[in-house]
Amino acid sequence: MTYTRIIGTGSYLPERIMTNAELEALVDTSDTWIRERTGIAERRVVAENQTCSDMAIEAARAALDSAGVAAADIDLIVLGTCTPDRVFPSNACLVQRALGVQQGAPAFDVAAACSSFVFALDVTDRFLRTGGARRALVIGADTMTRLLNWRDRGTCVLFGDGAGAVVVEASDTPGILSTHLHADGTQEDLLNVPWGPGLGYERLDETSGKISMRGNEVFKVAVRTLGRIVDETLAANGLKKEDVDWLVPHQANVRIIQATARKLGLPMDRVVQTVQHHGNTSSASIPLALDAAVRDGRIKPGDLLLLEAFGGGFTWGSALVRF
Ligand code: ACO
């Protein structure tokens, strides 16, 4: 039996830190409100000349270093994002060129909003388990600040920019134990970006290319849905809640993370939480959190990890991973 094992992690955050105090100058909000309702203390913002693929390249380099793998030994790149630099080439192709990954190796983007990394991991796992690739880069990267209306206090306080990556390898020993993906396109009015290039540039105005969200309603759906996927994932593997060593959740809001941890009966010291440092980085949030906890020694080889995400679409998914 062939499994997909994570053999290296990496991440990148832009240099520029934007504090809650700076947002107080832009919209009617307060540091106290943002911390209490979201847990976010600060976020990172890309430089004017910096793009999503630039961040992805840095995160991928760090993951390759930690795995001790050369870019030339990668034979697949799957990159989750909802903010690609351009319509095409895909960000995955830009990463392939920048890192010198084998020409001809497949490289493509996966778009499932904040769930994109879990979707990318699932797709990669299928490639590796069926012999379609041996060693892959799975990346989550997003420049969410480029989708923000800085006059909308309901969204501009929530998001930030970043990238995270893992190197995975086909192996005889278990790594990814199962993945679970879902989507429901019927509730797009709760969370969307109204414009995309397919609608034509004449429809693009100041707000149509920006995130539109009914936050309170999204919050309730997210909590309900993430609770369900925890049950689904454990049941599929015949495992109990207490078997999970670490919850590595999508980092959108501390209160959503706490609700999922409660559902699992996991104390918060078994939950990786980084949202306070970078806000909701969409596709990047899970690999960023994973990398942080691997590098500071919390997550150790052999630990059982539950990764879970929820995002626009709606999309949601999970992965159970023996690290
Ligand atoms: N500062 C101050 N007050 C604010 C702000 C702000 N930034 N934003 C909203 N408020 C006000 C509202 O106007 C409202 O005022 P009112 O009572 O006078 O009408 C009050 O705060 C409460 O608003 P709610 O929306 O009910 O606040 P809630 O506790 O739900 O928190 C939040 C809002 C933080 C957006 C929360 O709903 C949330 O996190 N939702 C999920 C959002 C999310 O995670 N989306 C992404 C998930 S999918 C993905 O990751 C793409």
Side-chain angles (χ1 to χ4, degrees):
M1 178 112 178
T2 303
Y3 295 94
T4 303
R5 281 193 71 83
I6 297 177
I7 58 165
T9 65
S11 59
Y12 173 83
L13 287 169
E15 273 174 38
R16 159 101 166 90
I17 295 174
M18 188 179 211
T19 62
N20 291 342
E22 283 179 76
L23 287 162
E24 288 175 359
L26 293 178
V27 287
D28 180 15
T29 192
S30 68
D31 177 49
T32 310
W33 191 96
I34 300 171
R35 283 178 195 261
E36 281 179 6
R37 297 295 180 115
T38 72
I40 299 166
E42 59 189 33
R43 70 283 299 138
R44 301 296 181 103
V45 179
V46 278
E48 216 167 294
N49 61 352
Q50 198 175 25
T51 65
C52 182
S53 73
D54 293 332
M55 294 193 296
I57 289 160
E58 293 304 325
R61 276 207 181 101
L64 288 168
D65 277 355
S66 91
V69 165
D73 293 330
I74 294 292
D75 58 7
L76 169 69
I77 301 176
V78 186
L79 188 151
T81 189
C82 59
T83 52
D85 299 8
R86 298 187 249 160
V87 176
F88 53 81
S90 68
N91 273 5
C93 286
L94 297 175
V95 171
Q96 189 210 49
R97 185 184 62 188
L99 294 182
V101 170
Q102 301 170 32
Q103 280 178 27
F108 55 91
D109 291 357
V110 167
C114 298
S115 311
S116 298
F117 179 77
V118 172
F119 275 60
L121 196 61
D122 171 284
V123 171
T124 305
D125 180 43
R126 291 172 199 274
F127 265 86
L128 266 58
R129 280 193 291 113
T130 54
R134 292 288 306 163
R135 210 174 271 139
L137 263 170
V138 188
I139 305 169
D142 265 312
T143 43
M144 296 307 281
T145 62
R146 298 244 157 93
L147 296 181
L148 292 179
N149 172 357
W150 294 101
R151 284 195 274 271
D152 175 12
R153 70 176 181 171
T155 53
C156 75
V157 303
L158 301 176
F159 294 91
D161 302 328
V166 297
V167 178
V168 295
E169 187 173 71
S171 166
D172 295 336
T173 37
I176 295 175
L177 300 177
S178 72
T179 50
H180 307 266
L181 304 186
H182 298 283
D184 173 5
T186 63
Q187 289 178 289
E188 63 141 323
D189 52 319
L190 300 188
L191 174 60
N192 63 69
V193 176
W195 184 85
L199 294 180
Y201 287 84
E202 59 281 2
R203 296 216 208 155
L204 178 60
D205 61 31
E206 208 190 326
T207 58
S208 60
K210 310 295 181 184
I211 295 173
S212 157
M213 180 169 71
R214 300 200 335 233
N216 188 274
E217 288 158 84
V218 173
F219 186 93
K220 289 175 195 151
V221 181
V223 168
R224 219 172 32 240
T225 308
L226 289 170
R228 275 206 314 269
I229 202 152
V230 163
D231 290 339
E232 178 188 340
T233 310
L234 293 175
N237 291 277
L239 292 171
K240 296 190 289 293
K241 294 170 180 178
E242 46 279 23
D243 294 322
V244 174
D245 293 308
W246 290 100
L247 177 66
V248 188
H250 171 47
Q251 309 283 320
N253 181 314
V254 162
R255 292 186 297 138
I256 298 178
I257 295 172
Q258 285 167 344
T260 314
R262 264 198 305 277
K263 170 90 189 165
L264 261 172
L266 264 190
M268 286 310 284
D269 61 2
R270 307 303 283 173
V271 178
V272 183
Q273 207 173 278
T274 55
V275 65
Q276 61 276 20
H277 304 305
H278 51 62
N280 182 346
T281 56
S282 189
S283 318
S285 88
I286 290 178
L288 267 169
L290 177 64
D291 187 46
V294 168
R295 280 176 197 266
D296 68 22
R298 275 177 292 169
I299 292 180
K300 296 191 172 53
D303 282 351
L304 188 67
L305 318 181
L306 177 56
L307 282 46
E308 46 86 344
F310 178 84
F314 289 126
T315 55
W316 62 102
S318 67
L320 194 71
V321 179
R322 182 67 68 189
F323 190 70

PDB file of all heavy atoms in Angstrom, residues 308-323:
ATOM      1  N   GLU A 308      -8.441  20.897   9.291  1.00  0.00           N
ATOM      2  CA  GLU A 308      -9.798  21.147   8.789  1.00  0.00           C
ATOM      3  C   GLU A 308      -9.952  22.588   8.332  1.00  0.00           C
ATOM      4  O   GLU A 308      -9.335  23.488   8.879  1.00  0.00           O
ATOM      5  CB  GLU A 308     -10.862  20.755   9.819  1.00  0.00           C
ATOM      6  CG  GLU A 308     -10.615  21.235  11.249  1.00  0.00           C
ATOM      7  CD  GLU A 308     -11.120  22.614  11.549  1.00  0.00           C
ATOM      8  OE1 GLU A 308     -11.400  23.371  10.609  1.00  0.00           O
ATOM      9  OE2 GLU A 308     -11.206  22.960  12.745  1.00  0.00           O
ATOM     10  N   ALA A 309     -10.801  22.759   7.292  1.00  0.00           N
ATOM     11  CA  ALA A 309     -10.952  24.096   6.713  1.00  0.00           C
ATOM     12  C   ALA A 309     -12.382  24.329   6.259  1.00  0.00           C
ATOM     13  O   ALA A 309     -13.120  23.386   5.947  1.00  0.00           O
ATOM     14  CB  ALA A 309     -10.010  24.241   5.520  1.00  0.00           C
ATOM     15  N   PHE A 310     -12.729  25.624   6.217  1.00  0.00           N
ATOM     16  CA  PHE A 310     -14.041  26.038   5.724  1.00  0.00           C
ATOM     17  C   PHE A 310     -13.848  27.335   4.950  1.00  0.00           C
ATOM     18  O   PHE A 310     -13.100  28.202   5.388  1.00  0.00           O
ATOM     19  CB  PHE A 310     -14.988  26.272   6.909  1.00  0.00           C
ATOM     20  CG  PHE A 310     -16.352  26.739   6.500  1.00  0.00           C
ATOM     21  CD1 PHE A 310     -17.325  25.825   6.125  1.00  0.00           C
ATOM     22  CD2 PHE A 310     -16.653  28.093   6.459  1.00  0.00           C
ATOM     23  CE1 PHE A 310     -18.581  26.257   5.724  1.00  0.00           C
ATOM     24  CE2 PHE A 310     -17.907  28.526   6.060  1.00  0.00           C
ATOM     25  CZ  PHE A 310     -18.873  27.612   5.693  1.00  0.00           C
ATOM     26  N   GLY A 311     -14.507  27.473   3.802  1.00  0.00           N
ATOM     27  CA  GLY A 311     -14.298  28.699   3.031  1.00  0.00           C
ATOM     28  C   GLY A 311     -15.414  28.990   2.056  1.00  0.00           C
ATOM     29  O   GLY A 311     -16.425  28.273   1.992  1.00  0.00           O
ATOM     30  N   GLY A 312     -15.191  30.051   1.306  1.00  0.00           N
ATOM     31  CA  GLY A 312     -16.175  30.521   0.333  1.00  0.00           C
ATOM     32  C   GLY A 312     -16.516  29.417  -0.663  1.00  0.00           C
ATOM     33  O   GLY A 312     -15.708  28.555  -0.988  1.00  0.00           O
ATOM     34  N   GLY A 313     -17.741  29.474  -1.126  1.00  0.00           N
ATOM     35  CA  GLY A 313     -18.231  28.451  -2.078  1.00  0.00           C
ATOM     36  C   GLY A 313     -19.662  28.026  -1.792  1.00  0.00           C
ATOM     37  O   GLY A 313     -20.469  28.119  -2.664  1.00  0.00           O
ATOM     38  N   PHE A 314     -19.952  27.529  -0.582  1.00  0.00           N
ATOM     39  CA  PHE A 314     -19.050  27.136   0.485  1.00  0.00           C
ATOM     40  C   PHE A 314     -18.269  25.879   0.104  1.00  0.00           C
ATOM     41  O   PHE A 314     -18.762  25.019  -0.635  1.00  0.00           O
ATOM     42  CB  PHE A 314     -19.804  26.870   1.785  1.00  0.00           C
ATOM     43  CG  PHE A 314     -20.336  28.104   2.439  1.00  0.00           C
ATOM     44  CD1 PHE A 314     -21.672  28.220   2.765  1.00  0.00           C
ATOM     45  CD2 PHE A 314     -19.503  29.181   2.727  1.00  0.00           C
ATOM     46  CE1 PHE A 314     -22.156  29.363   3.386  1.00  0.00           C
ATOM     47  CE2 PHE A 314     -19.972  30.319   3.354  1.00  0.00           C
ATOM     48  CZ  PHE A 314     -21.307  30.417   3.678  1.00  0.00           C
ATOM     49  N   THR A 315     -17.067  25.789   0.678  1.00  0.00           N
ATOM     50  CA  THR A 315     -16.257  24.586   0.557  1.00  0.00           C
ATOM     51  C   THR A 315     -15.784  24.223   1.947  1.00  0.00           C
ATOM     52  O   THR A 315     -15.613  25.101   2.787  1.00  0.00           O
ATOM     53  CB  THR A 315     -15.018  24.846  -0.314  1.00  0.00           C
ATOM     54  OG1 THR A 315     -14.302  25.959   0.252  1.00  0.00           O
ATOM     55  CG2 THR A 315     -15.386  25.152  -1.754  1.00  0.00           C
ATOM     56  N   TRP A 316     -15.584  22.957   2.206  1.00  0.00           N
ATOM     57  CA  TRP A 316     -14.991  22.554   3.478  1.00  0.00           C
ATOM     58  C   TRP A 316     -14.337  21.199   3.304  1.00  0.00           C
ATOM     59  O   TRP A 316     -14.662  20.446   2.388  1.00  0.00           O
ATOM     60  CB  TRP A 316     -16.008  22.581   4.621  1.00  0.00           C
ATOM     61  CG  TRP A 316     -17.192  21.659   4.530  1.00  0.00           C
ATOM     62  CD1 TRP A 316     -17.346  20.481   5.182  1.00  0.00           C
ATOM     63  CD2 TRP A 316     -18.403  21.845   3.755  1.00  0.00           C
ATOM     64  NE1 TRP A 316     -18.569  19.927   4.875  1.00  0.00           N
ATOM     65  CE2 TRP A 316     -19.233  20.746   4.005  1.00  0.00           C
ATOM     66  CE3 TRP A 316     -18.849  22.856   2.889  1.00  0.00           C
ATOM     67  CZ2 TRP A 316     -20.492  20.595   3.416  1.00  0.00           C
ATOM     68  CZ3 TRP A 316     -20.098  22.714   2.293  1.00  0.00           C
ATOM     69  CH2 TRP A 316     -20.904  21.597   2.558  1.00  0.00           C
ATOM     70  N   GLY A 317     -13.381  20.928   4.187  1.00  0.00           N
ATOM     71  CA  GLY A 317     -12.669  19.663   4.051  1.00  0.00           C
ATOM     72  C   GLY A 317     -11.767  19.407   5.236  1.00  0.00           C
ATOM     73  O   GLY A 317     -11.540  20.281   6.069  1.00  0.00           O
ATOM     74  N   SER A 318     -11.270  18.166   5.291  1.00  0.00           N
ATOM     75  CA  SER A 318     -10.371  17.791   6.382  1.00  0.00           C
ATOM     76  C   SER A 318      -9.358  16.776   5.883  1.00  0.00           C
ATOM     77  O   SER A 318      -9.551  16.143   4.848  1.00  0.00           O
ATOM     78  CB  SER A 318     -11.169  17.186   7.543  1.00  0.00           C
ATOM     79  OG  SER A 318     -11.720  15.950   7.120  1.00  0.00           O
ATOM     80  N   ALA A 319      -8.292  16.645   6.651  1.00  0.00           N
ATOM     81  CA  ALA A 319      -7.308  15.582   6.388  1.00  0.00           C
ATOM     82  C   ALA A 319      -6.828  15.059   7.729  1.00  0.00           C
ATOM     83  O   ALA A 319      -6.552  15.853   8.637  1.00  0.00           O
ATOM     84  CB  ALA A 319      -6.130  16.134   5.588  1.00  0.00           C
ATOM     85  N   LEU A 320      -6.790  13.739   7.852  1.00  0.00           N
ATOM     86  CA  LEU A 320      -6.233  13.120   9.050  1.00  0.00           C
ATOM     87  C   LEU A 320      -4.848  12.613   8.677  1.00  0.00           C
ATOM     88  O   LEU A 320      -4.702  11.857   7.707  1.00  0.00           O
ATOM     89  CB  LEU A 320      -7.125  11.969   9.526  1.00  0.00           C
ATOM     90  CG  LEU A 320      -6.817  11.483  10.932  1.00  0.00           C
ATOM     91  CD1 LEU A 320      -7.256  12.518  11.980  1.00  0.00           C
ATOM     92  CD2 LEU A 320      -7.502  10.156  11.221  1.00  0.00           C
ATOM     93  N   VAL A 321      -3.843  13.067   9.417  1.00  0.00           N
ATOM     94  CA  VAL A 321      -2.457  12.850   9.002  1.00  0.00           C
ATOM     95  C   VAL A 321      -1.639  12.265  10.156  1.00  0.00           C
ATOM     96  O   VAL A 321      -1.633  12.821  11.263  1.00  0.00           O
ATOM     97  CB  VAL A 321      -1.811  14.200   8.581  1.00  0.00           C
ATOM     98  CG1 VAL A 321      -0.346  13.990   8.169  1.00  0.00           C
ATOM     99  CG2 VAL A 321      -2.608  14.858   7.455  1.00  0.00           C
ATOM    100  N   ARG A 322      -0.985  11.157   9.896  1.00  0.00           N
ATOM    101  CA  ARG A 322       0.044  10.658  10.840  1.00  0.00           C
ATOM    102  C   ARG A 322       1.330  11.357  10.413  1.00  0.00           C
ATOM    103  O   ARG A 322       1.841  11.139   9.330  1.00  0.00           O
ATOM    104  CB  ARG A 322       0.149   9.132  10.712  1.00  0.00           C
ATOM    105  CG  ARG A 322       1.140   8.501  11.654  1.00  0.00           C
ATOM    106  CD  ARG A 322       0.750   8.587  13.099  1.00  0.00           C
ATOM    107  NE  ARG A 322      -0.425   7.780  13.428  1.00  0.00           N
ATOM    108  CZ  ARG A 322      -1.050   7.844  14.614  1.00  0.00           C
ATOM    109  NH1 ARG A 322      -0.627   8.664  15.576  1.00  0.00           N
ATOM    110  NH2 ARG A 322      -2.122   7.101  14.858  1.00  0.00           N
ATOM    111  N   PHE A 323       1.830  12.234  11.294  1.00  0.00           N
ATOM    112  CA  PHE A 323       2.975  13.096  10.885  1.00  0.00           C
ATOM    113  C   PHE A 323       4.279  12.332  10.989  1.00  0.00           C
ATOM    114  O   PHE A 323       4.511  11.589  11.945  1.00  0.00           O
ATOM    115  CB  PHE A 323       3.023  14.350  11.783  1.00  0.00           C
ATOM    116  CG  PHE A 323       3.992  15.359  11.263  1.00  0.00           C
ATOM    117  CD1 PHE A 323       3.755  16.072  10.083  1.00  0.00           C
ATOM    118  CD2 PHE A 323       5.168  15.604  11.936  1.00  0.00           C
ATOM    119  CE1 PHE A 323       4.666  16.997   9.613  1.00  0.00           C
ATOM    120  CE2 PHE A 323       6.090  16.540  11.477  1.00  0.00           C
ATOM    121  CZ  PHE A 323       5.823  17.225  10.307  1.00  0.00           C
TER     122      PHE A 323
END
